[in-house]
Amino acid sequence: MQARAGRTRRIILKAAADIFEARGYMGTSLQEVVALQDVSKGALYFHFPSKEQLAAAVIREHQGLLAELAAELRGHHPRAMWLLLAVSRRISELLCEDVMTRAGVRLACERDQIGDSAPSLLDDWSVTVAEILRDARDQGDLLPGVDPQDAADFIITAFAGLQRRGYPIRSKGDLHRRATTMWRLLLPGLTTPACTAELMKELG
Amino acid sequence: MQARAGRTRRIILKAAADIFEARGYMGTSLQEVVALQDVSKGALYFHFPSKEQLAAAVIREHQGLLAELAAELRGHHPRAMWLLLAVSRRISELLCEDVMTRAGVRLACERDQIGDSAPSLLDDWSVTVAEILRDARDQGDLLPGVDPQDAADFIITAFAGLQRRGYPIRSKGDLHRRATTMWRLLLPGLTTPACTAELMKELG
Amino acid sequence: MQARAGRTRRIILKAAADIFEARGYMGTSLQEVVALQDVSKGALYFHFPSKEQLAAAVIREHQGLLAELAAELRGHHPRAMWLLLAVSRRISELLCEDVMTRAGVRLACERDQIGDSAPSLLDDWSVTVAEILRDARDQGDLLPGVDPQDAADFIITAFAGLQRRGYPIRSKGDLHRRATTMWRLLLPGLTTPACTAELMKELG
Amino acid sequence: MQARAGRTRRIILKAAADIFEARGYMGTSLQEVVALQDVSKGALYFHFPSKEQLAAAVIREHQGLLAELAAELRGHHPRAMWLLLAVSRRISELLCEDVMTRAGVRLACERDQIGDSAPSLLDDWSVTVAEILRDARDQGDLLPGVDPQDAADFIITAFAGLQRRGYPIRSKGDLHRRATTMWRLLLPGLTTPACTAELMKELG
DNA sequence: ACTGCCGGGACGCCCCGTTGGT
DNA sequence: ACCAACGGGGCGTCCCGGCAGT
């Protein structure tokens, strides 16, 4: 029965992500969530004590993801800036392919509407990016005068903005293009000219 | 009576901005709006036929503002990039001082939850910024390889993100600092080194 | 100005009839009424103190009409039953041609939803028809055993039902046909065979 | 649980009938309905998705009833006209004893205010009565020249009018008396003299 | 343990019938 | 004659507990 329970939980989580992603937290009715995959309200309330917790669970699905990704990719990318770009690319891909990721990011941006039990995903990300930037500084790739934490804050905010509502992402390439634009604008202000030049080649 | 009507309308608009800014579109109840300044439901319904139209009016309050600002400040700033920074600074100030501005921007970001009658403020801004950037290009201040429209899109998205939920703006200086950080990171990727150097001095 | 006032009153009354006829008393909003002919609410409330009184006025427009008609046509129709049919035909025509008449009858049927200030049109009609039937009895045209008042009650109820909602009246002929059907069914139970036979020829 | 649900549904339906009967469709507030038997809005919303559906359910309660009655009584009344009177008497009884029946008929008359989802009860009745009349014709009881469908239309309209608003039904006998009056007036125009004479004795 | 039916209140938005100041 | 404003609900419906089954 444990297996069935887990499966149901997952189904609900997925359905919730679908609706949350499309309508936002407040615009989502649990009615719609359960209707989407034809589970009962009872099932939902068994697995998640409240709407707030449901949203929190969707966000939590990605909590720590960026840190994991960083840890995982760190092996392949000794230099921190390369790592940062690699992680950025990976997240972009997820944003394109995976509804749950999009939902998580959207909900993270709507944290103030959800409540304190929602993990502050963007803060986590900010911390991780700040760490990477500190590594980059230690490796001499960062421009002097760049504060890693401030820069990280800006970067993740800007990045989260890439999937802005109203700018619907049409295709994988679409988001990729926006990310590329972002990095092309940011790198010269972030990294040393030599490093920038090399990274630009990566971006294509 | 025209005067009184205008005054009431303004009171409602202001109250709406207060609540919209704090709770977002969907989180706002018209009940709360009218309670805040003790106007009646009837008064609200008289001036605004629906919640959607109310939000649209708050947004509309700022539609064209950036374009006006640009036109107005153009005289004082012959070089486009200087103009851009001046406008940015002005908007930052407004975001700090004026609740309605903050509400407008927040609602603009939530446009997909409001409906099509809401002006797409950010698109407007994007257009204006793109124009300025084209001027900058013509003046030789832009780096080659920078697409004005793409850059403008990114800039306004990032700028709108500066007042991100969860990152409450604590003081006027707070937002100013974030804006400065943004431009310091962006300018090197946007403008020629000479131009960048001069602008950096402006930023302090 | 007296003339203008009277004209406005009439315009409002007409507009009210239009909407009342289409939507019924409770389904009608004064908003709609004033919008139809673009008069102001102030104008409406100047002429009619309340919705109830407005409806009452529409009904009152026809109060006494049937009695007048009877009086007027009495000259041409010495025998009461002929008079009754003539009056019936005249009312049928009005129901077809005149919205106000239809509205009046509809409102009269919805009297319980309007309030006590609405004239009980149907009761009036009932009284008049009963008088006519009594005349017919005196003229020896009524079957013995027919109680004029009971018969009148039934006749006007049935007649009012001819324009039943959902049975939309498509054309003048439509209502005429229903009325003919009614009389063909009723007359044999109401009048002496001889009288019935003559009247049937009238109906065609 | 099924049992409880059914009971609740019935309670709501009954309360709705009470209010609908007294105030009409548009004059009824669901608030009042739930207050009458102290059920919650949630319960109402669970069983009936809208006011329209609630009214439709009240009407539907009687849809097919007349046809069933006809089928059931057909055994006891070989001759169609006797059947018709029997059915009429049965419905009259129901109208006196049962609020839901009165509510159903009232709502059926207000169908245009409710919406298309309301069954057109009166049309159904009309069809059934027309069938009976056709049987009567085949049995040689109908007068030549009577169109069964037209006659049926008139009969049910008139019958529905018996419980007219403003003519409150005071007692069982009251409605019975009106029905008797109706048939006494109608039968001579509907059936052959011999048949009429026999039926009249039935009416008393 | 897990799922589901049924019910419970609480508002939310809309909008309606009405009155004051002019 | 009117513009502006007033509250009072109406309906929908939403988020959520209790039990009853499995």
Side-chain angles (χ1 to χ4, degrees), chain B:
Chain B
M1 271 297 165
Q2 199 70 337
R4 210 296 269 275
R7 225 158 48 233
T8 302
R9 205 191 120 99
R10 204 110 260 290
I11 288 173
I12 294 173
L13 220 47
K14 173 64 169 47
D18 276 349
I19 314 285
F20 277 142
E21 202 266 329
R23 305 240 201 302
Y25 179 72
M26 300 244 67
T28 294
S29 93
L30 297 187
Q31 188 83 356
E32 234 177 329
V33 171
V34 300
L36 188 63
Q37 297 288 345
D38 207 62
V39 290
S40 73
K41 281 274 189 83
L44 192 157
Y45 182 62
F46 177 78
H47 290 286
F48 307 95
S50 72
K51 186 183 185 181
E52 184 171 339
Q53 289 303 319
L54 177 57
V58 171
I59 302 180
R60 200 150 30 230
E61 201 74 5
H62 291 282
Q63 206 182 13
L65 172 68
L66 196 135
E68 282 174 35
L69 240 48
E72 184 189 324
L73 295 177
R74 204 175 290 265
H76 303 69
H77 302 281
R79 281 172 76 183
M81 284 309 298
W82 271 254
L83 174 63
L84 185 57
L85 282 201
V87 168
S88 151
R89 189 159 1 192
R90 186 82 197 87
I91 297 281
S92 290
E93 284 167 19
L94 284 175
L95 280 172
C96 290
E97 298 159 6
D98 183 19
V99 205
M100 190 106 77
T101 305
R102 280 201 298 281
V105 174
R106 167 152 202 183
L107 289 176
C109 292
E110 293 178 346
R111 190 171 180 273
D112 65 326
Q113 305 186 42
I114 301 178
D116 290 339
S117 64
S120 32
L121 188 60
L122 297 195
D123 286 352
D124 285 3
W125 285 16
S126 181
V127 167
T128 301
V129 170
E131 281 173 11
I132 297 181
L133 289 182
R134 270 188 284 272
D135 287 350
R137 190 183 49 190
D138 296 344
Q139 295 169 350
D141 286 337
L142 228 53
L143 284 178
V146 170
D147 178 79
Q149 188 59 59
D150 285 355
D153 280 350
F154 176 70
I155 288 172
I156 63 106
T157 315
F159 191 86
L162 292 189
Q163 65 153 351
R164 211 185 79 217
R165 299 307 101 204
Y167 260 75
I169 294 169
R170 267 169 296 273
S171 65
K172 180 163 175 173
D174 204 9
L175 183 60
H176 181 68
R177 182 149 164 277
R178 293 189 205 173
T180 304
T181 300
M182 169 176 127
W183 287 118
R184 269 216 265 264
L185 287 171
L186 277 182
L187 287 177
L190 201 59
T191 51
T192 60
C195 179
T196 299
E198 289 182 72
L199 286 166
M200 284 294 197
K201 268 184 286 186
E202 289 265 324
L203 289 173

Side-chain angles (χ1 to χ4, degrees), chain A residues 64-72 74 77-84 87 122-142 146-153 155-156:
Chain A
L65 172 69
L66 196 135
E68 281 173 36
L69 239 50
E72 182 190 326
R74 204 175 290 266
H77 302 283
R79 279 172 79 183
M81 285 309 299
W82 270 254
L83 174 63
L84 185 56
V87 169
L122 297 194
D123 286 351
D124 286 2
W125 286 15
S126 181
V127 167
T128 302
V129 171
E131 280 171 12
I132 298 182
L133 288 182
R134 268 189 286 272
D135 287 350
R137 188 183 50 190
D138 296 343
Q139 295 170 348
D141 285 337
L142 228 55
V146 169
D147 178 80
Q149 186 59 57
D150 284 355
D153 280 350
I155 288 173
I156 64 104

Side-chain angles (χ1 to χ4, degrees), chain A residues 2 8 40 42-43 46-47:
Chain A
Q2 200 69 332
T8 302
S40 76
F46 176 78
H47 290 288

Side-chain angles (χ1 to χ4, degrees), chain D residues 143-171:
Chain D
L143 284 177
V146 170
D147 178 81
Q149 187 60 59
D150 284 354
D153 281 348
F154 176 70
I155 288 172
I156 63 106
T157 315
F159 191 86
L162 291 189
Q163 64 153 350
R164 212 186 76 218
R165 302 306 100 202
Y167 260 75
I169 294 167
R170 267 169 296 274
S171 64

